[in-house]
Each structure stands twice: as structure tokens, then as C-alpha cells.
Amino acid sequence: MPGPAKGTRQPPSRAAIVEQVRELYDDLDFSSVRRWLAEHPTWKAAGYLPVYAPRELLHACGFLPIGIHGAGDRLEIIRGDAFYQSYICHLPRSVIEMAQSGRLDMLSAVLFPSTCDVIRNLSGIWKLLYPAVYVRYVDVPQGAKSEEAISFWENELQRLVDDLGALSGRRPTEADLRASVDLYNRVRAMIRRLYQLRQERPWDLPTEELYLLLRAGEMVPPEDFLTLAEDYLGAVAADPRRQRDNSRVVIAGAFCEQPPLGLIKSIERTGCYIVDDDFLLGNRFLTHDVSLEGNPIRTLAEAFVQNDLCSSVLYEIKPTGKKETMRDRAAACRADGIIFATASFCDPALLDQPMLRAGAEEAGIPCIAFKYAENTGQFQQFREQAGTFSDSIKLWGAS
Amino acid sequence: MATVQKDRSMQLQKDMIAEHFELLAHAEENHTPVVYTFVPGNLTELIRSFGALPVLPEINALQSGMRKQSADYIAEAERIGHSEDVCTYVKCDIGMMRTGNIGPAGTKLPKPDLLLLSYTGCYTFMKWFELLREEYQCPAVMFHVPYQGDGEMEPAHREYMIKQLKEQVIPALEKATGRAYDEEKLRYHLELSAKVEDDLVAVLQAGKLVPSPIEGYFGTVYYVGPIFSAFRGTEGGVEYYRALREEIEERAALGLGPVTPDGPLNDQKYRLVVEGPPNWTSFRDFWKIFYDEGAVAVASTYTKVGGLYDQGFRHDPSRPLETLADYCLGCYTNLSLPSRIDLIAKYIREYAADGFVIHSVKSCNSFSAGQLHMLRELERISGVPGCFLESDLVDSRYYGQANLKNRVESYLQMLDSRMRGERNVPTPPSKPDRVALKVAP
């Protein structure tokens, strides 16, 4: 039997890819990032917290962008708890724990997006704890889609590029910036494709796998992610699965502190197909390609301000926007119901929830809600709740 | 039960506030426009220049807390789906609105003609007004104030804010009030504000005296009430702060301490700086823990959330929009964590404090997230020990008198033993008939 043609690559199996991305997910020491940096000595690494960070600019300035999403249920928190009171969410504790235990010492810069006051204030703690690291609070424009908002954001992005370029010694040309924007356009397009496929065939593309793939995408170079994702799509096509009589649900509210993987698995195993979610939302924050015409910093600023994503971390300009959001999302992915899964003490998600839920229920969409922490270890209650929800949709949904 | 003693200024303030709520109660029939906004970054002068009345939801919430009404309001909000984890000011406000919207003065509050969202250092503000917009079905305008993450005002940020004022905020006010923008009126109110601010700063800085004639946290909450709410940039505000300043000057001249609910606090054993907002549901009980032990707050950060006037800022009528932008950028809530630490360390030094207290409230992540690290940093920088307390703003379920009392007393005992023989505070000035309070540059 002839082997593969010379120069061609044997496509990896779904199991092999999932194993690879799971290893990256479990690697709280960021060994792969450290290895990559050792092999690419002219590059540095820059971390960013949820939700939105302009990763293309980090890339253009010679930084490998690394998503800092906490340690989930895989790290005992000792030092992190000394920084936060009991009524503050879990994410910053595990981020501090990782930093204080040296797990993030490969980062030369860390961006703290304007997601909430906890992440904002963490930027101040970081400045005090790690004065050698470049720290920037990324204050995105809020409010009107106006020229002044674009100018403000363009100015902030330019400042970021200037600072990072000075730090790395790689001051990007316009062509460099455009190339990075183009690369991340491809990443965004790939993620849209993956989400579209999951929406169409959720039995073939379980969210557990998709989630792990996207987490990996925030730890490897974007080019590697694109290869990995192409391989995964190929493997999915080669390994079709049987459709089950599950309910189609949207998981809303988990855009910052990420749920433990066990929670995602639990929901999927109780008869729910997840057809839309907020996990790792920064990947999908810009809903369209950024234009490659003109000044790339300007076009990136325009893309953000003119973006049409409704998110809890942005001011909703449209008075009816909150009520329409979940109705529209559920309709777009033909969901039967919505599960509001929110991290405990998450201000953006929990303050939004009454408005979002009211809009969904007014549209006749069944909803349930629960809270988790990234280190939640018991899933029985979620299984019961999600299972009952799925059953009730099946039993009563069509009536 | 002891009769509660009140300063003369407190009565003045009570009358002013009563009058304001009376105007609000009749706003609709008098065709007076009403603009809701928040304390940090409030644009009172601009609102007043349009002939509108400001309503400050945080002030209503804290008043509800002090009047023991907040528990029912919070319960109502949680009943309709608001999480137990989120800010209790928001829930108190929504609960109050849902149960008739009767304000602190016992009169019905008018609906807003505009929600002016000055987004100054508190994420919850954004959600709060999104929620109120749903409830009232009224227009809202966002005024984005960039956070001072790097500890300094950037000229580009000021420009951005001025453009927002011109392109978004002023047109929204014109539309809501039906009146045109009048810069001369704005200048007039700004001029009054500067006078108010001069007198307030003189009062705040009296905390440097020994004994302190003011209580710089619990007592000063009353002093900042008018400037935090509706009276900055008004004739009434000027009158109140002039009277208050004279009252404090008289007290300083007599070497008297501040008036607490149980009488003057002249024997001051401990001088403290306090960080964080107070608890409102048990405000007097909380205060009593301190004054019973002879502890006086000489300065605090909460009393600066409406503006850092003591650090030199004054509203400047010669540059009306620029000064509004600078005011918002410089509010305490908009400062980075390192800047907050620097400011508190400065207070500890300049007010010759023996210690500092961080009161961490569950509701407010803007204040609370990072306060444990602030405690360590402040102890390191200032060399004085700190005390960490936890409760909430207006949710009495999170206030534990016995626990707080135990903590404060233990802390003060520790301070006591530490202070023996090493106290280093400025000697009081010679005692003329009246001490002229000066504003430090």
C-alpha cells in the first residue's frame, strides 16, 4: 500500500487534535509559549485579559498575543485569595495566583481591557507588583458611533503601538500593521466558519471541542491556529456523528470568567446542543473583517466603533437593544432556549441579565439561569437543571 | 436615649434639600426638566444652565439606607430578578422606583427627561442607566470619561470629552429641555462652584488641626452632601459652604472637636484616614464604634468621589467645557489604584494620621477590588498600620455591628500601644479668636 505522497501531510484525526488542544488548555505553565519564544528570540509575549484586546497590534509589534483566562479548576488558589474579598469573582484570584507563582513571567506586556472594574483595578495591582512589565488599561470608547469615538480609539491604539514598538524594538510599518490585520481577519473568519458549522451541525462539532480549539488559539501563533482549525474541520468532515433529539440552546453571560470545561460538557450531555455562546468572546468581538484599505490603525478603530456586536461590556446605544439582543440571537441560531450561565459576582453579566432575560421571555423563549465559578467542581446541580430544561423544551416547547 | 446633637449647618442643609425635593415633586406641573446623573463626574453646572433640576440616584439610595427603607427596596429588586451579587445602590433605586418612587423627602420623584450618564470610574453606572432607561422609557446620553490608568490626564482625553460635550451631551440636553445652550449661564454657575469649592477645601483641610474640628469621614459626609448633589454652582451652595466654613473656623478657634450624634468629640485619641464609602443602614452605629473610642477621621477618600478639590482643582468659568472635562477626569473614582494609594499616603502624612481604615463594601467593585493590596502597600509606604473592615452600602444583611466593633477596638488597642511615646503630630496653632482656614496650594 503506497504511503502518503512526498511533501504532503497526513491529516490528523479529530482525537489527535482534541488531545493536542486539551494539552494546551491544561498547560498552566505555558510551556508551549516558552518553547516558542525560545525558538523565536526576536519575539516577545504579551498577555491580555478578557474581553476585547486588539491582538493584531500586539502581533505587528512583535508580541505573541496570549489570552489570560485564569486557571479554572486546575490550580489551588493560595496567594490569589490574599488579594480579593469573598464577594469578588474568581478570575482575578487565579490570574494573580498564576502570576505570583511565576507562571506568567514570560509576559513582557499585559493588557487589561475595560471589561469591568475588577479587571480595571487589576491593572493597577499589576503595575505595583510587576513594574518591569508593560501594563496598559485598554479603555475602549463607549457610546455613540461617532467620529470623536473613532479618533479617541485611534489615538489609544496608536499609543499602544508606539509603546509596544518601543518595548520590542520592532516599530511596525503600515505594511506590517496591515499584514497583522489581514492575518487576524483570517482568524476571525475561521472562527465565524467554525461557529456557523456548529450552528448547522452541533452534533458534529461539540462545544467542548470547539472551546478547547479556541482556547488553544489564544496560546499559539495565529498561523498555527489557522492550520489547526483547518485540520479540525477536515477531521470533523471525516468523522460525522449521529444527530440526536437534543434541544438547541444559547449559553449567555460567560464572556469573561470562563466556566470549567466540566460545566460545558455537563450541559451538552444533558440533551442540549449549544448553538451559540459567549465563551472567549474577544475572538468574535469584531463581527466583520477590518478593512485593509487606508491606515490600518484608523481602520481598526473604525471597525470597533462601527461594530454591531451587542455586549454587556459596551454601552447599548439603542434603547430597545437589550431586549432585542437575545431574541435576535436565538432566532439567528434557531435556538429553543437560553441558558444564562454567569460567573458569580460578574457585574457586567449579572446587571445585564434582567434586561436580556425580559426580552427573551417577552419573545416567548424559555430561559433558565445559574451561576458558576471557574473552579466549580460539582456539576450535578447544573446537569439536573439543564436536563430538566431540555426535557421541558422537548415536552412543552411545541405546544 | 440621648438626644441627637446637630450642627447648625446640618439644619441649613436639611432645609436646602427639602426645598430641592419640593421643586422636584412639582417639576412636572411647573414644566421644569429633570436630569438624572451620578455623583462622580456630575455636570451640575451644565444641567443647571439649562434650567433643569438634577437627581442623583446614589444619593436617593443612601438616603433610603439611612431611613431603613433600603431592605424592602432591595428585596423588591431581587424579587424581579436582580442578582444578590450586584450593587445594592442599583437594586435600592430600582426597588424604590417600582414601589412608587417616593424619594428621601417623602415626595414622589419625577421621571427623568434625560439620563445623563457621566461614565466616571464606575462600570455599574453604565448598567444602572441602561436599566433605568428600560424602566422609564426615556432618553439617555453617554458621556465617556477615560480612566486615568496611567495616573495622569492626557490632553487627547480632554479633547475627546470636549467633543462629546459638544456633539452628544449638549444636544441631548437641548432636546430634553427644549432650551438652547447658553455658555454665559454655564460660566455663571461655574463661578459659583469655584466659591463653593474654596470654602469646602478650607473645611476639609481643617482636619490637619489638632484637635481636628471636623470629622473627616462620617461628619464630612454631611458636609459634602450639597456639593455632591444638586447645589454645586448655586447661590444656595455658596451660602451653605460659607456658613459651614465660619462654623468650623469658630470651632477650631475654640479648640473644639466635631459634633457627633452623642456630642462633641474633643478628646481625640486616634487620628485616622478612611478609604471607601460608609455603610448607610447603620451609619450612626458604625460611627459610634469610632467616637466611643476617641477615634476621629481627619481625612477620607469617599468624600472626594464628587471631586478632588483639595488637590487643587477648581471649576474655571473662563474655560467652561475644558473645566468640566478636567473635573470628571480627576474624580477619585477615576484614579488608578496606584494613584489612590499615593493620595491616601499623602493624607496620612499631611494630616498626621496615626493609622488608616479601609472600609470595603460588597457592592462597589470600583472601590473594593484591589483594596487588600492597597492595605499592604499603604502600610509599606506610610509605616502606619491599617485596619480592614467589610460591610455594604445599603444592604443591612452585610453589616455586622459586633464584628466591626470587635475589629475596630482591637485595631485601636494595637494603635494605642504602638503610639505610646512616638506620637508626632503638629502642635495646634495659637488660639486667636477665630482661626482663618487657609487652602493649601
Side-chain angles (χ1 to χ4, degrees):
Chain A
M1 198 170 123
K6 198 173 181 181
T8 62
R9 194 168 60 95
Q10 184 73 27
S13 67
R14 181 199 289 254
I17 295 168
V18 171
E19 188 184 339
Q20 184 186 348
V21 293
R22 192 186 300 275
E23 275 176 17
L24 287 168
Y25 173 79
D26 284 332
D27 179 14
L28 295 180
D29 292 321
F30 294 87
S31 314
S32 65
V33 176
R34 293 172 195 278
R35 268 197 309 276
W36 190 89
L37 288 171
E39 290 162 8
H40 300 82
T42 60
W43 283 72
K44 293 177 183 295
Y48 57 87
L49 276 89
V51 174
Y52 174 76
R55 289 185 288 170
E56 42 278 89
L57 299 188
L58 295 172
H59 184 267
C61 295
F63 288 83
L64 178 64
I66 304 296
I68 306 298
H69 293 289
D73 54 356
R74 291 155 291 147
L75 185 66
E76 186 184 2
I77 307 301
I78 299 165
R79 285 159 282 213
D81 278 345
F83 284 78
Y84 289 103
Q85 303 91 313
S86 58
Y87 41 79
I88 288 172
C89 59
H90 200 272
L91 175 73
R93 300 164 204 276
S94 72
V95 171
I96 287 275
E97 187 72 33
M98 289 200 295
Q100 290 287 75
S101 56
R103 288 176 168 89
L104 301 179
D105 61 6
M106 74 295 182
L107 300 176
S108 303
V110 184
L111 305 186
F112 294 83
S114 55
T115 298
C116 69
D117 293 338
V118 173
I119 287 183
R120 184 197 69 187
N121 288 4
L122 183 56
S123 71
I125 294 177
W126 219 270
K127 277 179 188 264
L128 295 166
L129 288 176
Y130 310 109
V133 175
Y134 174 77
V135 172
R136 181 82 178 157
Y137 173 67
V138 183
D139 198 355
V140 301
Q142 300 280 1
K145 295 178 186 290
S146 61
E147 174 51 38
E148 58 264 23
I150 295 170
S151 298
F152 164 75
W153 188 225
E154 181 185 0
N155 184 63
E156 293 294 295
L157 295 178
Q158 184 63 58
R159 163 83 184 270
L160 194 59
V161 168
D162 292 344
D163 289 354
L164 292 171
L167 183 61
S168 69
R170 187 186 294 192
R171 294 174 193 276
T173 63
E174 208 170 291
D176 294 333
L177 288 162
R178 191 170 293 113
S180 292
V181 168
D182 184 33
L183 183 57
Y184 276 88
N185 274 347
R186 282 157 50 209
V187 168
R188 282 184 281 268
M190 171 57 78
I191 293 170
R192 285 198 297 271
R193 199 172 139 201
L194 287 161
Y195 266 65
Q196 184 63 33
L197 180 63
R198 183 191 57 171
Q199 192 189 110
E200 289 164 8
R201 303 177 62 82
W203 49 91
D204 273 341
L205 211 156
T207 297
E208 180 192 357
E209 293 180 5
L210 176 61
Y211 180 77
L212 287 170
L213 182 65
L214 294 193
R215 279 292 285 259
E218 299 197 46
M219 288 177 71
V220 300
E223 300 87 343
D224 291 3
F225 168 71
L226 289 169
T227 304
L228 202 54
E230 281 293 357
D231 286 349
Y232 179 70
L233 285 169
V236 166
D239 177 27
R241 296 196 172 160
R242 185 167 60 87
Q243 182 178 0
R244 294 174 190 274
D245 185 27
N246 286 358
S247 300
R248 296 168 62 89
V249 299
V250 178
I251 307 289
F255 46 81
C256 184
E257 180 176 323
Q258 295 297 289
L261 199 57
L263 178 55
I264 298 173
K265 284 194 282 192
S266 294
I267 293 170
E268 290 196 299
R269 288 175 188 175
T270 53
C272 293
Y273 283 137
I274 299 171
V275 289
D276 188 16
D277 61 61
D278 290 336
F279 306 143
L280 306 169
L281 184 63
N283 281 301
R284 288 163 285 123
F285 212 85
L286 299 183
T287 52
H288 300 288
D289 284 350
V290 179
S291 170
L292 299 176
E293 303 293 322
N295 179 325
I297 294 178
R298 172 77 184 177
T299 55
L300 188 58
E302 286 171 344
F304 184 92
V305 172
Q306 289 159 0
N307 197 35
D308 54 8
L309 180 84
C310 293
S311 162
S312 299
V313 300
L314 293 177
Y315 177 67
E316 176 58 61
I317 302 162
K318 196 175 166 190
T320 53
K322 287 291 173 198
K323 285 212 166 160
E324 292 167 359
T325 295
M326 295 315 300
R327 182 198 67 192
D328 293 349
R329 281 182 69 181
C333 63
R334 293 175 287 111
D336 304 309
I338 297 167
I339 297 177
F340 290 96
T342 309
S344 293
F345 303 108
C346 175
D347 275 346
L350 290 169
L351 285 161
D352 248 9
Q353 195 169 295
M355 294 181 278
L356 297 176
R357 186 167 180 166
E361 290 182 339
E362 276 175 28
I365 304 165
C367 301
I368 56 166
F370 51 67
K371 290 188 288 185
Y372 63 84
E374 60 169 353
N375 66 337
T376 297
Q378 296 291 328
F379 304 111
Q380 182 61 24
Q381 55 161 325
F382 304 121
R383 269 199 292 272
E384 286 173 6
Q385 214 176 335
T388 307
F389 184 57
S390 177
D391 290 347
S392 71
I393 287 172
K394 286 291 163 198
L395 283 169
W396 309 107
S399 63
Chain B
M1 190 173 159
T3 309
V4 173
Q5 295 193 23
K6 287 193 172 176
D7 282 346
R8 181 163 47 89
S9 58
M10 286 170 77
Q11 189 56 47
L12 254 178
Q13 183 183 153
K14 195 177 169 189
D15 295 342
M16 286 164 69
I17 289 173
E19 187 187 353
H20 180 65
F21 280 99
E22 192 60 22
L23 288 171
L24 287 172
H26 299 286
E28 197 173 335
E29 66 199 66
N30 293 335
H31 306 290
T32 310
V34 173
V35 176
Y36 284 27
T37 195
F38 293 111
V39 171
N42 72 77
L43 304 177
T44 299
E45 298 83 359
L46 187 63
I47 293 168
R48 291 274 186 189
S49 76
F50 282 91
L53 292 170
V55 170
L56 289 299
E58 311 106 293
I59 303 285
N60 295 338
L62 74 87
Q63 291 275 1
S64 297
M66 290 180 107
R67 288 157 201 264
K68 313 286 185 198
Q69 294 165 327
S70 56
D72 289 343
Y73 294 153
I74 291 167
E76 171 63 17
E78 289 181 357
R79 191 186 63 76
I80 59 170
H82 292 268
S83 169
E84 66 269 29
D85 288 357
V86 302
C87 174
T88 52
Y89 270 178
V90 178
K91 289 185 286 187
C92 184
D93 188 39
I94 287 175
M96 183 180 84
M97 197 220 70
R98 289 269 180 147
T99 51
N101 219 11
I102 303 301
T107 51
K108 191 172 169 66
L109 288 171
K111 289 181 180 176
D113 294 291
L114 179 69
L115 298 166
L116 200 174
L117 171 47
S118 180
Y119 184 51
T120 307
C122 170
Y123 170 84
T124 297
F125 285 168
M126 187 160 79
K127 295 289 123 187
W128 193 340
F129 270 11
E130 283 177 349
L131 285 159
L132 287 195
R133 184 177 58 187
E134 299 267 321
E135 298 284 348
Y136 287 114
Q137 296 291 310
C138 67
V141 61
M142 157 64 94
F143 180 45
H144 175 208
V145 180
Y147 181 66
Q148 288 195 47
D150 288 338
E152 57 187 21
M153 285 188 198
E154 296 181 26
H157 290 173
R158 183 185 294 120
E159 286 307 309
Y160 169 51
M161 293 172 66
I162 292 168
K163 282 182 190 163
Q164 287 182 82
L165 286 169
K166 287 179 177 170
E167 302 297 326
Q168 312 293 336
V169 177
I170 289 173
L173 279 162
E174 287 182 324
K175 192 172 175 190
T177 62
R179 292 162 195 179
Y181 171 58
D182 183 338
E183 195 152 283
E184 282 314 302
K185 275 191 186 166
L186 176 59
R187 286 182 207 278
Y188 164 75
H189 289 293
L190 291 168
E191 200 170 329
L192 296 179
S193 288
K195 289 180 187 169
V196 163
E197 289 152 8
D198 274 345
D199 285 335
L200 172 66
V201 170
V203 169
L204 295 174
Q205 292 187 343
K208 292 178 180 173
L209 299 173
V210 180
S212 171
I214 65 161
E215 213 293 337
Y217 182 55
F218 296 101
T220 301
V221 157
Y222 292 101
Y223 301 159
V224 296
I227 198 168
F228 273 22
S229 52
F231 302 101
R232 201 180 62 209
T234 65
E235 298 282 1
V238 172
E239 187 186 352
Y240 169 78
Y241 282 101
R242 172 59 54 184
L244 178 66
R245 180 174 180 168
E246 287 171 4
E247 187 179 292
I248 302 299
E249 285 176 341
E250 282 171 22
R251 208 183 293 160
L254 295 170
L256 296 176
V259 178
T260 74
D262 288 335
L265 179 58
N266 297 329
D267 181 17
Q268 300 175 358
K269 286 167 69 180
Y270 313 100
R271 297 169 61 83
L272 303 173
V273 169
V274 185
E275 144 79 6
N279 166 272
W280 301 106
T281 53
S282 300
F283 184 80
R284 283 187 183 167
D285 291 338
F286 192 26
W287 187 358
K288 186 173 168 58
I289 295 173
F290 289 89
Y291 67 68
D292 274 355
E293 298 296 323
V296 62
V298 288
S300 63
T301 54
Y302 174 70
T303 52
K304 314 295 160 36
V305 298
L308 272 171
Y309 311 112
D310 66 331
Q311 300 305 301
F313 174 81
R314 293 290 180 281
H315 281 92
D316 178 358
S318 71
R319 33 195 289 280
L321 298 186
E322 291 87 338
T323 205
L324 291 176
D326 286 353
Y327 160 69
C328 295
L329 283 165
C331 283
Y332 182 73
T333 50
N334 207 44
L335 301 187
S336 70
L337 211 72
S339 300
R340 286 167 63 190
I341 290 169
D342 289 346
L343 181 66
I344 298 168
K346 188 178 174 190
Y347 284 156
I348 292 170
R349 200 171 54 246
E350 292 185 351
Y351 287 74
D354 303 309
F356 67 94
V357 173
I358 294 180
H359 180 236
S360 185
V361 293
K362 172 192 165 286
S363 276
C364 185
N365 284 342
S366 175
F367 259 106
S368 304
Q371 278 179 327
L372 283 165
H373 194 59
M374 289 174 73
L375 174 80
R376 288 188 288 269
E377 279 293 294
L378 279 166
E379 287 185 332
R380 186 181 65 77
I381 293 167
S382 68
V384 303
C387 173
F388 201 85
L389 305 173
E390 293 175 88
S391 75
D392 189 44
L393 296 168
V394 290
D395 193 336
S396 55
R397 293 172 294 188
Y398 297 98
Y399 181 86
Q401 179 77 8
N403 180 289
L404 290 167
K405 186 172 165 58
N406 192 28
R407 276 205 189 193
V408 173
E409 286 177 356
S410 301
Y411 172 70
L412 294 176
Q413 280 169 18
M414 182 269 289
L415 266 193
D416 195 44
S417 40
R418 187 179 181 276
M419 283 160 51
R420 278 186 205 132
E422 59 180 69
R423 187 157 186 161
N424 181 25
V425 291
T427 49
S430 57
K431 290 186 177 176
D433 291 343
R434 199 169 114 184
V435 177
L437 300 174
K438 291 199 172 73
V439 178

